[in-house]
Amino acid sequence: MLTLSIIHSTCLKNKLTGMATTPQLRTGEDYKTIFDGKIYADTLFNQIEVEGFTFTEFRLKTLHKIFSKGTIKGKCLLDIGSGPCIHTVIPAAKWFDEIIMTDYAPSNRDMQEKWLKKESGAHNWDMYFKYYSKLDGNENNWQQLEAALRPKIKRVFACDVFLPNPLDPIQLDQVDVICTSACLESASSDKEKYDIAMKNVVSLLKPGGKLILIGILNCTHYSVGSERFQCVSLTKDDVVNTVKKNDLKIIEIFDDDSSFDGDAAPFNGSVIILAEKKQT
C-alpha cells in the first residue's frame, strides 16, 4: 500500500519540523488505536504518475491487465487488508456480483464506509477512476466506472489475518477471488508470521479460486504522518515460496523495480502474483 507521495510528504515534514528522533515502531494493536486512515489515504493516494517512479502505475496497469481479460470473475471477490482504499477493485467491479472489503484498523473501515455513503471526509478517488478509464480507452467513462463499483461493495468487515478464520466471527463461504495489497507484510513481524497470515487468508479461497497478491519487497517500515509502522522485509523468493507452499499454483508473476532508500518508506521492488488454489 505504499506510494512515493508518502516519501515526499514525510521528508518535507521532517525538514520543516526539524524532527531528529526516530519514532517508535508501531505494530499490531497500534493499528486499532493510532493508525489514521484519512492521513494514510490523503498522503499515499494523492497522485499516480510520478516521473522516474513506476510503482503506482505498475499496480494499476497490472490489475487492469489481469481483470480486463474477463477470465478472473465470479460471485464474490474478497479484498483482504483493503486499508481506506478502493482502487485495487475498480477494474474488478463488472466481473463480480459482490465485492467485500476488509481491514484490521477501524479508521480504515470508517474511510471505506464514508466513500460508500458519499459522506463528508471521504477520500476522492476520481483520478484513479479516470486512470482506469484511460486504460480502457475511454477516459470520459470514469463516472460510469464509479457508479458500477459502489453498489458492488456490499459489506465492509473487520479482519485479522492471524486468526484461523480472519473474518471471525463472520462465517463466509469460500470465495472465488481474493485480492490483497501490501497487507500481509505490513501485519507481520517476521517471516513465520507472514507464512501464518498467508495460510489463514488462503483458507477463505475456494479450490480453483484465484489469489491476486501485491507485495512490497525489502521494506522494513513505512510512515503515516508522524507514526512509523513495521513491515517484515521480504524478497521475491520469500513471497513466491510462501505462495507455493499454501496449495497455490502460480499462473503469472509481474515485477517492478521501483525503489526508495530514504527513511520514510525504504523498499526495493514489488511483485504481483496471480495464483490458483489447487483442487483437493
Side-chain angles (χ1 to χ4, degrees):
M1 297 187 295
L2 306 175
T3 65
L4 188 62
S5 50
I6 191 170
I7 297 165
H8 288 159
S9 176
T10 306
C11 289
L12 177 60
K13 180 177 179 180
N14 290 352
K15 289 179 181 179
L16 292 176
T17 61
M19 186 170 65
T21 59
T22 301
Q24 178 183 347
L25 199 59
R26 302 295 187 177
T27 62
E29 290 292 315
D30 294 327
Y31 277 93
K32 289 185 176 180
T33 58
I34 293 173
F35 193 90
D36 191 315
K38 181 166 177 54
I39 291 177
Y40 181 84
D42 290 347
T43 305
L44 271 71
F45 298 97
N46 60 12
Q47 58 184 325
I48 295 174
E49 299 173 276
V50 180
E51 185 177 355
F53 189 81
T54 59
F55 172 57
T56 303
E57 289 189 275
F58 161 70
R59 283 189 298 174
L60 302 186
K61 287 179 178 177
T62 303
L63 288 169
H64 181 267
K65 179 179 180 180
I66 289 171
F67 286 113
S68 63
K69 296 176 181 178
T71 56
I72 309 298
K73 57 185 178 180
K75 180 180 178 182
C76 182
L77 182 150
L78 177 64
D79 194 72
I80 293 289
S82 311
C85 311
I86 52 89
H87 66 290
T88 56
V89 299
I90 292 173
K94 67 180 179 180
W95 303 112
F96 294 88
D97 297 332
E98 179 181 14
I99 295 173
I100 298 173
M101 312 300 281
T102 70
D103 203 79
Y104 184 73
S107 67
N108 283 337
R109 300 196 301 272
D110 181 62
M111 288 296 291
Q112 292 279 349
E113 295 284 2
K114 278 180 164 55
W115 183 81
L116 288 171
K117 297 172 184 177
K118 302 182 181 181
E119 293 179 351
S120 174
H123 188 69
N124 187 333
W125 294 100
D126 288 0
M127 72 174 69
Y128 287 83
F129 286 104
K130 291 176 181 178
Y131 190 88
Y132 279 119
S133 294
K134 185 177 180 180
L135 293 177
D136 283 337
N138 184 4
E139 191 170 1
N140 295 325
N141 195 47
W142 69 272
Q143 289 177 311
Q144 284 88 335
L145 273 186
E146 182 179 15
L149 176 62
R150 191 172 267 110
K152 291 294 181 74
I153 301 177
K154 295 181 170 64
R155 293 180 281 182
V156 178
F157 290 151
C159 174
D160 184 343
V161 295
F162 297 119
L163 296 177
N165 170 16
L167 303 180
D168 188 68
I170 302 296
Q171 298 294 323
L172 191 70
D173 290 339
Q174 289 180 313
V175 300
D176 302 287
V177 174
I178 290 175
C179 184
T180 183
S181 177
C183 166
L184 306 188
E185 59 266 46
S186 299
S188 302
S189 57
D190 54 43
K191 292 177 184 178
E192 182 179 359
K193 290 285 185 65
Y194 182 81
D195 290 349
I196 292 170
M198 182 76 75
K199 179 181 179 181
N200 293 339
V201 168
V202 172
S203 73
L204 300 172
L205 186 64
K206 66 173 57 173
K210 305 299 191 295
L211 172 71
I212 301 169
L213 174 71
I214 304 172
I216 311 300
L217 304 178
N218 306 294
C219 180
T220 57
H221 63 268
Y222 67 101
S223 298
V224 179
S226 61
E227 301 293 346
R228 176 182 289 182
F229 291 84
Q230 175 181 284
C231 292
V232 59
S233 180
L234 301 168
T235 66
K236 178 182 172 181
D237 286 344
D238 290 331
V239 179
V240 169
N241 291 336
T242 299
V243 168
K244 286 182 176 179
K245 69 183 180 184
N246 277 282
D247 294 323
L248 292 160
K249 174 185 175 182
I250 293 178
I251 299 171
E252 196 164 4
I253 298 177
F254 307 87
D255 297 284
D256 181 69
D257 61 2
S258 289
S259 64
F260 181 74
D261 60 4
D263 191 56
F267 75 99
N268 183 14
S270 59
V271 63
I272 297 179
I273 296 176
L274 173 62
E276 179 177 307
K277 188 173 183 179
K278 296 175 182 177
Q279 301 282 352
T280 55

